[in-house]
Amino acid sequence: MEPDIAGKPVAGKAESQLRKGVLEYCVLAILREGPRYGVELLETLGAVNVMVTSQGTIYPLLSRLRRDGLVETRWQESPSGPPRRYYELTPTGHAALKEFTAIWPHFRDAVDRFITD
């Protein structure tokens, strides 16, 4: 990543496209551990530099996952502010994550085969 004018890292095209392709499954994997609210998901993703994303990306993704039946939501009171919307995996979400988990090593190995000198 190269810094932008403000000195913040800016993802290159390849990194951005890769993140876009796997972000959904990373979110599902995080939710496998239990319900989370949006900011928690952003923080967990942000702990890994190449997975840093924004609210403008994560909330539309979560809405799509909900529409697709991969996650369900519930509102819960917060000890420090307004109620929070928590997201958790549905059985369909678990199945989608299981499918991705089975496919990913083969996909990764195939790409490695092409790009390794």
Side-chain angles (χ1 to χ4, degrees), residues 28-90:
L28 294 178
I30 294 166
L31 292 175
R32 175 179 51 199
E33 300 168 6
R36 303 276 183 103
Y37 61 97
V39 173
E40 281 182 307
L41 288 166
L42 283 169
E43 290 171 353
T44 302
L45 289 165
V48 179
N49 282 341
V50 298
M51 295 308 294
V52 171
T53 192
S54 68
Q55 288 185 12
T57 297
I58 198 73
Y59 286 109
L61 170 65
L62 290 168
S63 291
R64 184 174 55 76
L65 293 175
R66 188 167 46 104
R67 277 192 316 274
D68 292 347
L70 301 176
V71 301
E72 57 190 12
T73 64
R74 64 181 162 76
W75 287 95
Q76 184 173 320
E77 290 298 319
S78 167
S80 60
R84 296 175 175 159
R85 179 180 286 210
Y86 280 79
Y87 299 84
E88 67 185 300
L89 283 182
T90 63

